[in-house]
Amino acid sequence: MSQHFLLSAKARTLSLAKVARMSDDEARETFKQIRWSASNGEPSCPQCGCFGVNEYKARPVFKCKACDHQFSVTSGTIFAGRKLPLRTLLLATAIFVNGAKGHSALQLSRDLDVQYKTAFVLSHKLREAIAAEKAEATVSGEVAVDGAYFGGYVKPSNYKENRRDRRLAKNQNGKRRVVIIAREKGGKTITHVFNSEAAGVAKIASVIELGSTVHADEAAHWDALHDRFLTKRINHEWAYSDEGACTNDAESFFSRIRRAEVGIHHHIAGPYLAAYAAEMAWREDNRRVSNGEQYLIAVDAALAHPVSRQWKGYWQRAA
Ligand SMILES: [Zn+2]
């Protein structure tokens, strides 16, 4: 088993400036090294797994000797059907992962000089790919759970006599959702979106391994966790950390996602809330990895992730 390309000295020195100056061939070689890192960059057929592959001279396409399947370095991955040069995809990923609060599609379209629609879909494909590694993930050890509500903002009426109590369900617009996280101390962060915090308790409990110690606030619905886990509770009204019970890890995550909401995306509620929450979890988990490595991890995730059912051909369907 050879060393993974991402861990090699060559990968670690692949700065954004170098990517920007890459030739098409160099960008393609980088994609090959990342996608087929197990075989030192040697392509294998995505259809039959065979390593007997011919490379066309004139076109950047491979053909399998065994089954005649033709494929490119991005076929069958989240980047499939791309119209952008490979170098632009590397740059896009590097820019996307850069910055703790995330990057808006509008800004990305300006950075890359591509259409907004292109940048929008590309950003969502990257979100899908980086979130996928945690689809089956669980957390263990010391785990903080907490929820925070997003969206469903109802503007108060101008005149006081017309104002309604916006805390009441009948005066809300039904768009409010809660992001619940389960965060392992010193480890990974898992996020899910529900209509209410109480509605998410069972799902969140299912991603926490037995034997873990769970830290939660005083909300009554978390009582259900006591049956399965050693549970430490904290009353947020007077502290975030008390006698070993602590949800600071959860709080720091939510402050990151709030900053992204206010500073970058403005509205991260609605149908994409789960995707943004997963992106922020990825950023949180990788915050100590250098920027230079983060984007290669993201490219690796993108090339390991199949074609997106949600985002491939999105604008053609929407049109
Ligand atoms: Zn084949």
Side-chain angles (χ1 to χ4, degrees):
M1 184 75 191
S2 64
Q3 187 192 36
H4 195 287
F5 177 71
L6 298 186
L7 301 174
S8 69
K10 206 174 160 192
R12 271 183 273 122
T13 57
L14 209 55
S15 68
L16 191 52
K18 276 186 189 163
V19 172
R21 290 194 300 266
M22 267 183 186
S23 68
D24 289 346
D25 281 347
E26 285 168 330
R28 189 154 168 266
E29 194 51 40
T30 302
F31 268 76
K32 278 168 68 178
Q33 290 289 343
I34 295 173
R35 178 166 185 182
W36 293 294
S37 63
S39 54
N40 249 328
E42 190 193 334
S44 61
C45 172
Q47 198 124 294
C48 71
C50 164
F51 279 100
V53 167
N54 284 321
E55 199 164 347
Y56 287 98
K57 288 258 175 332
R59 292 185 299 144
V61 174
F62 307 100
K63 186 176 180 184
C64 174
K65 288 178 190 169
C67 75
D68 283 344
H69 179 61
Q70 290 192 14
F71 58 98
S72 76
V73 74
T74 54
S75 302
T77 76
I78 198 98
F79 290 136
R82 71 194 158 83
K83 294 180 183 65
L84 297 172
L86 292 171
R87 184 182 51 243
T88 307
L89 290 179
L90 277 182
L91 271 177
T93 312
I95 293 167
F96 177 83
V97 301
N98 202 352
K101 290 186 292 187
H103 208 80
S104 74
L106 188 62
Q107 188 61 43
L108 188 63
S109 77
R110 290 190 197 123
D111 294 337
L112 298 173
D113 194 20
V114 301
Q115 278 191 35
Y116 172 75
K117 288 177 169 187
T118 307
F120 176 83
V121 165
L122 187 53
S123 307
H124 273 296
K125 285 178 175 174
L126 288 168
R127 275 183 199 107
E128 180 179 316
I130 61 177
E133 65 175 11
K134 279 198 231 139
E136 307 285 320
T138 56
V139 286
S140 60
E142 301 286 322
V143 177
V145 298
D146 204 0
Y149 282 86
F150 292 85
Y153 179 70
V154 180
K155 222 176 150 184
S157 274
N158 188 20
Y159 294 104
K160 194 163 188 271
E161 59 269 32
N162 295 334
R163 285 184 199 159
R164 295 164 300 174
D165 187 344
R166 288 175 290 154
R167 290 168 299 183
L168 299 178
K170 69 180 168 71
N171 293 333
Q172 290 174 1
N173 62 10
K175 290 181 182 164
R176 223 158 87 95
R177 295 287 179 273
V178 62
V179 175
I180 304 186
I181 73 162
R183 184 160 189 196
E184 189 177 276
K185 194 161 189 60
K188 54 188 170 299
T189 310
I190 295 176
T191 56
H192 285 284
V193 172
F194 304 94
N195 288 340
S196 72
E197 208 175 73
V201 174
K203 174 68 191 173
I204 289 301
S206 76
V207 303
I208 304 172
E209 287 178 29
L210 290 177
S212 302
T213 301
V214 179
H215 300 245
D217 66 24
E218 292 286 38
H221 46 254
W222 299 123
D223 291 353
L225 298 173
H226 289 252
D227 288 348
R228 287 175 74 173
F229 308 103
L230 175 62
T231 308
K232 295 186 176 175
R233 306 294 288 273
I234 178 107
N235 187 338
H236 278 173
E237 288 193 0
W238 45 269
Y240 284 112
S241 168
D242 179 60
E243 291 176 9
C246 177
T247 55
N248 279 344
D249 286 348
E251 301 302 325
S252 84
F253 170 79
F254 286 122
S255 83
R256 178 185 289 266
I257 190 167
R258 290 279 179 223
R259 290 198 305 274
E261 181 184 36
V262 173
I264 309 286
H265 301 296
H266 309 302
H267 284 288
I268 58 172
Y272 307 130
L273 181 58
Y276 287 117
E279 173 195 339
M280 291 305 150
W282 187 88
R283 291 182 189 282
E284 190 76 19
D285 293 353
N286 287 286
R287 69 195 180 284
R288 294 206 175 83
V289 177
S290 73
N291 284 340
E293 286 166 89
Q294 276 181 6
Y295 85 90
L296 291 171
I297 293 170
V299 171
D300 188 42
L303 290 177
H305 193 70
V307 177
S308 171
R309 279 188 291 177
Q310 185 181 8
W311 295 108
K312 185 175 185 287
Y314 178 78
W315 292 111
Q316 285 92 312
R317 288 198 305 277

